[in-house]
Amino acid sequence: MTASHSDSLVVLFGATAGAYGAKLGSDERELILLVWQVVDLQNKKVGTLHKSLVKADNLDLSDQCREVSGLTPEGLSKAEPLDRVLQQFSQLVSSDLKVLGRSSYTLCSDGQLLIRQVLHPETSKKNYLLSDCFYSFYDLRKEFHTCYPSSAAVKDQTIKTMAEYLGLGTDEAEEDFGVWQVKTMVAIIFSMLSEGCNHVFAEPETVKHKYETGPCSKSETVDSETVIRARGLPWQSSDQDIARFFKGLNIAKGGVALCLNSQGRRNGEALVRFVNSEQRDLALERHKHHMGSRYIEVYKATGEEFLKIAGGTSNEVAQFLSKENQVIIRMRGLPFTATQEDVLGFLGPECPVTGGKEGLLFVKYPDGRPTGDAFVLFSCEEYAQNALKKHKEILGKRYIELFRSTAAEVQQVLNRYMSTPLIPTLPTPIIPVIPPPYTIATGSIRDCVRLRGLPYTAGIDDILEFMGDATGDIKPHGVHMVLNQQGRPSGDAFIQMKSADKAFMVAQKCHKKMMKDRYVEVFQCSGEEMSFVLMGGTLNRSGLSPPPCKLPCLSPPAYAAFQTAAVIPAEAAALYQPQALLPSTRTPQASAAAPPTVTYYPAQAAQLYMNYTAYYPSPPVSPTTVGYIAAPPGAVAAAATATHTPILPQPGALVRMQGLPYNTGMKEILSFFQGYQYAPDDYNGLIQLSDQARSVLQAPKEWVCL
């Protein structure tokens, strides 16, 4: 039994199979020794001194451990495991308290490492339950410095320096390892209790039993000396998993912020805020400790970084997160028409939501459109587990993904969507993208190479550096990077060389050469094979598979950058409205009647190709939208005179519809656009129509599809 003002102390000392002293617990080695003794503070009496060896799972002792402790693997192999030793500890302490006539006690250790960095992390990993006495203890070094302010700083104190300061004549060599330390600590405590000092043990150190969730406001001040960045986390880890990794250290309320990537998915990093800098420094000692089979990197971070991830300003979010100690579940992929009743019905009575509808938070764009994401509160772990069992079950016609979430993730997702501008702004400068005078090579000549396994952060400059001397043999505009469904680098790239011999030499020289921290595979291929992959086909050991669709009007465009081009005047920039359009097929008469337009793209962009499958994302991920901007006639004329390449017409007469039900027919689409006019010849060249469909399209209407 313990109390805030205990009448007894249990002086505790321990050692691990690895580092000793200031690095105790930093190497994740297991506990192998516990020594303790009960001290009656009022009568200044002591109980029996106990020494217990602990059998570790790994009996390989470090050289420092062997030298300092004198212990051997043979001796430890006969000891009891940690859980049995902890049971014996509780029983023997209770027995000694009865002999001394005392009822309560508090642990007292030499510093904080044994309790915070050894006992709590090890028992957490082994799923042992620590008794309450290990959540409150006195740090003898701090108590000594409080009693003797002129002594050395707390971080520089050791049992030996404290004993020397008091002039205690103890010989470390005369006692067994651990016994001398406990006896000396008891002697130091009695000196502090003497009439000259009359020290009172009143404010013990505490260890939090559990991590407390809560919101964080951007207006808060976060000390940079209390924040760390954890990297290499499993993607499915939650804030509770991270708190368990830092078991024994006190994390601030709502102090775990899981980081998300640009697609709103976890990127394996988290920012953690501790209650003070001392706890942060102890957390840094857990660098490369393990969470399961993965080691976690721990680095310093800043308060600004934490607020950027975890801070929020929305009153709606603050109200949602005001219910403390709730388990948060994120739902992703909801139908846009889903209501609160639909979500509650999907979850069912076996996992009741805290507060009913008040426990639901739908994520929306600034204009109120739903994003398909929602967050749900549950009052206990059991209800949350029942909800997670519904992962990928169907609501309406969509499967729903459910994940554990955190308060910081709620803030991040809301901040990301609410900061999305309704009308995207155009970066400057702007240049016209006109069909280039060069084209992607085709044919069976193997004058190209394919790079596979590129780092996702690799750019054109990295590829050129990787190629080395062969850079001079690359054709102009011959580097083509392939994007994935989300419009991000896929790790593949194609390079057009000046000849097949040059391509062969590059493949031989650069195959499995390192780029940053990854090796890159380099294969020789033909222009035809390259073209097929850039348009959505696949190239593997089984052969070449063509793109799923080869309609010219649905083929994704190529982005190109030019050295010289006509720039849009600043006063005209406000006239440009982004339109998600694809080029349409028109008759020569229609093309002549309509004013020509030019597609524009930012000047700083490198030449990229988006794989065809980017237009068909799997729910609930949204693709990167490819925008086309119609230019004014003046800019078109300037562009036309600056190049001999004919300008293709780009009339604004075609839209692409996403999210259609799978059973949608032509009549439903026409009914959707009721009230607008359209030009029937637009569709004749776009899709293959049956006679019945063509008759419907060519019937007199008063609307056009814009």
Side-chain angles (χ1 to χ4, degrees):
M1 179 178 179
T2 62
S4 58
H5 296 281
S6 303
D7 49 21
S8 301
L9 294 179
V10 176
V11 178
L12 184 67
F13 177 82
T16 69
Y20 174 72
K23 289 295 183 179
L24 183 69
S26 63
D27 52 4
E28 282 190 290
R29 298 305 302 272
E30 297 171 274
L31 189 72
I32 60 171
L33 174 68
L34 272 183
V35 186
W36 69 91
Q37 188 172 30
V38 178
V39 178
D40 184 345
L41 295 178
Q42 294 184 2
N43 299 322
K44 298 181 181 179
K45 295 181 179 180
V46 296
T48 305
L49 189 148
H50 301 277
K51 178 179 179 179
S52 180
L53 299 180
V54 184
K55 182 180 180 180
D57 295 337
N58 182 7
L59 294 177
D60 183 19
L61 306 182
S62 68
D63 294 338
Q64 184 184 24
C65 177
R66 291 173 183 267
E67 180 181 354
V68 174
S69 68
L71 299 176
T72 62
E74 292 76 17
L76 293 174
S77 64
K78 302 176 183 178
E80 297 286 350
L82 179 59
D83 56 339
R84 294 290 301 276
V85 172
L86 292 176
Q87 292 177 6
Q88 294 174 6
F89 170 83
S90 298
Q91 294 170 0
L92 293 173
V93 168
S94 298
S95 176
D96 290 343
L97 288 174
K98 289 181 181 180
V99 173
L100 295 172
R102 297 302 169 190
S103 58
S104 63
Y105 69 93
T106 303
L107 297 179
C108 180
S109 66
D110 171 34
Q112 305 199 29
L113 300 182
L114 175 62
I115 304 294
R116 295 190 184 275
Q117 298 286 67
V118 178
L119 279 168
H120 277 282
E122 183 174 342
T123 54
S124 177
K125 290 179 180 179
K126 295 181 177 180
N127 292 319
Y128 296 159
L129 184 63
L130 276 178
S131 61
D132 291 340
C133 69
F134 291 98
Y135 288 86
S136 177
F137 67 97
Y138 289 107
D139 182 346
L140 183 59
R141 299 184 184 187
K142 289 185 177 181
E143 298 294 330
F144 185 85
H145 188 72
T146 302
C147 185
Y148 303 101
S150 60
S151 62
V154 174
K155 64 179 181 178
D156 298 326
Q157 297 278 18
T158 64
I159 297 177
K160 188 174 183 178
T161 59
M162 289 187 287
E164 291 175 350
Y165 183 86
L166 297 174
L168 300 178
T170 57
D171 188 358
E172 185 175 355
E174 294 180 358
E175 302 285 355
D176 290 340
F177 178 72
V179 174
W180 177 86
Q181 281 81 357
V182 170
K183 286 184 176 181
T184 305
M185 291 169 68
V186 171
I188 293 171
I189 291 172
F190 282 154
S191 296
M192 296 167 62
L193 296 175
S194 63
E195 294 182 1
C197 298
N198 293 321
H199 182 74
V200 177
F201 291 84
E203 297 181 2
E205 301 285 321
T206 58
V207 179
K208 289 187 176 183
H209 282 74
K210 62 181 296 185
Y211 166 67
E212 297 178 278
T213 61
C216 177
S217 172
K218 284 189 178 294
S219 60
E220 288 188 33
T221 301
V222 178
D223 185 2
S224 294
E225 296 299 315
T226 64
V227 183
I228 63 94
R229 178 183 296 272
R231 182 178 299 164
L233 299 165
W235 69 268
Q236 71 272 26
S237 59
S238 66
D239 54 350
Q240 297 296 337
D241 297 321
I242 296 171
R244 186 176 181 182
F245 175 79
F246 290 108
K247 184 69 173 177
L249 306 180
N250 294 338
I251 299 175
K253 183 178 179 180
V256 177
L258 293 167
C259 302
L260 307 180
N261 60 19
S262 57
Q263 282 80 45
R265 300 178 182 273
R266 296 172 187 171
N267 63 3
E269 295 188 6
L271 294 172
V272 185
R273 176 188 179 189
F274 294 90
V275 294
N276 54 44
S277 59
E278 181 183 29
Q279 303 288 304
R280 194 282 304 268
D281 292 340
L282 292 175
L284 291 173
E285 293 296 328
R286 300 197 186 183
H287 179 60
K288 291 197 174 181
H289 282 205
H290 288 77
M291 180 184 289
S293 60
R294 301 179 61 121
Y295 71 82
I296 309 301
E297 300 174 2
V298 182
Y299 304 99
K300 291 182 179 180
T302 65
E304 291 77 9
E305 290 175 314
F306 182 83
L307 286 176
K308 183 178 179 180
I309 299 298
T313 57
S314 171
N315 293 330
E316 183 182 14
V317 176
Q319 182 178 359
F320 176 77
L321 297 175
S322 63
K323 303 177 181 64
E324 299 180 358
N325 298 323
Q326 300 288 312
V327 183
I328 306 176
I329 298 296
R330 180 181 179 183
M331 302 181 69
R332 196 166 60 190
L334 291 169
F336 295 147
T337 58
T339 63
Q340 292 177 324
E341 290 79 8
D342 294 332
V343 175
L344 293 176
F346 172 80
L347 294 172
E350 63 272 16
C351 38
V353 178
T354 301
K357 295 181 180 180
E358 295 181 358
L360 295 176
L361 177 65
F362 286 91
V363 183
K364 299 180 179 180
Y365 289 105
D367 59 359
R369 292 181 296 115
T371 64
D373 279 29
F375 293 93
V376 190
L377 295 178
F378 296 99
S379 60
C380 65
E381 185 67 26
E382 178 184 358
Y383 295 157
Q385 288 292 343
N386 291 337
L388 291 173
K389 293 178 182 177
K390 298 180 179 291
H391 180 60
K392 291 197 175 181
E393 288 191 8
I394 302 298
L395 174 60
K397 295 183 179 180
R398 304 196 65 175
Y399 70 85
I400 310 301
E401 296 177 293
L402 289 93
F403 308 97
R404 285 183 174 276
S405 188
T406 67
E409 185 172 359
V410 176
Q411 297 282 21
Q412 284 184 83
V413 174
L414 266 295
N415 290 344
R416 175 175 284 106
Y417 282 113
M418 293 305 294
S419 62
T420 303
L422 293 177
I423 301 177
T425 57
L426 294 176
T428 56
I430 306 294
I431 63 171
V433 177
I434 304 172
Y438 57 87
T439 58
I440 298 179
T442 58
S444 58
I445 300 177
R446 300 174 63 81
D447 58 352
C448 304
V449 291
R450 179 183 184 181
L451 275 60
R452 188 169 66 185
L454 294 169
Y456 296 130
T457 57
I460 300 295
D461 293 337
D462 297 311
I463 293 177
L464 296 180
E465 182 180 356
F466 174 82
M467 298 284 290
D469 297 338
T471 303
D473 299 322
I474 300 176
K475 288 184 178 181
H477 309 287
V479 180
H480 312 284
M481 300 188 70
V482 184
L483 306 184
N484 61 13
Q485 284 97 334
Q486 286 77 43
R488 301 184 64 81
S490 65
D492 280 23
F494 286 91
I495 300 177
Q496 293 176 257
M497 307 302 293
K498 292 182 178 179
S499 67
D501 293 338
K502 300 295 185 182
F504 176 79
M505 294 298 296
V506 169
Q508 293 293 316
K509 180 180 178 181
C510 298
H511 184 56
K512 292 194 175 181
K513 181 180 173 182
M514 299 298 294
M515 178 185 293
K516 298 183 178 180
D517 58 344
R518 302 186 63 172
Y519 73 83
V520 179
E521 298 176 291
V522 183
F523 306 101
Q524 186 180 10
C525 65
S526 66
E528 181 183 13
E529 292 169 341
M530 179 184 71
S531 178
F532 268 63
V533 173
L534 291 177
M535 295 304 296
T538 58
L539 176 61
N540 50 39
R541 295 179 179 178
S542 301
L544 185 65
S545 300
C549 179
K550 297 183 66 175
L551 290 176
C553 57
L554 292 182
S555 298
Y559 305 155
F562 295 82
Q563 298 297 326
T564 58
V567 179
I568 299 178
E571 58 270 18
L575 301 175
Y576 306 150
Q577 298 297 326
Q579 305 172 23
L581 300 178
L582 294 174
S584 60
T585 304
R586 282 187 175 271
T587 60
Q589 294 80 2
S591 300
T597 59
V598 176
T599 304
Y600 278 69
Y601 197 73
Q604 66 270 26
Q607 183 183 3
L608 299 173
Y609 287 89
M610 181 174 292
N611 188 285
Y612 176 86
T613 55
Y615 288 101
Y616 296 92
S618 300
V621 183
S622 298
T624 301
T625 303
V626 182
Y628 292 83
I629 294 87
V636 175
T641 58
T643 179
H644 298 290
T645 305
I647 299 177
L648 297 180
Q650 177 105 356
L654 178 65
V655 295
R656 175 173 171 265
M657 301 175 66
Q658 289 181 286
L660 292 172
Y662 295 122
N663 58 352
T664 301
M666 185 67 67
K667 290 186 178 181
E668 286 81 4
I669 295 177
L670 298 180
S671 177
F672 177 81
F673 287 107
Q674 185 67 38
Y676 296 88
Q677 293 183 351
Y678 81 105
D681 58 330
D682 283 347
Y683 294 91
N684 293 338
L686 174 64
I687 51 179
Q688 300 295 328
L689 299 177
S690 64
D691 294 337
Q692 180 182 4
R694 183 174 286 102
S695 64
V696 173
L697 281 172
Q698 294 179 345
K701 301 276 191 318
E702 295 181 354
W703 47 271
V704 83
C705 190
L706 296 173

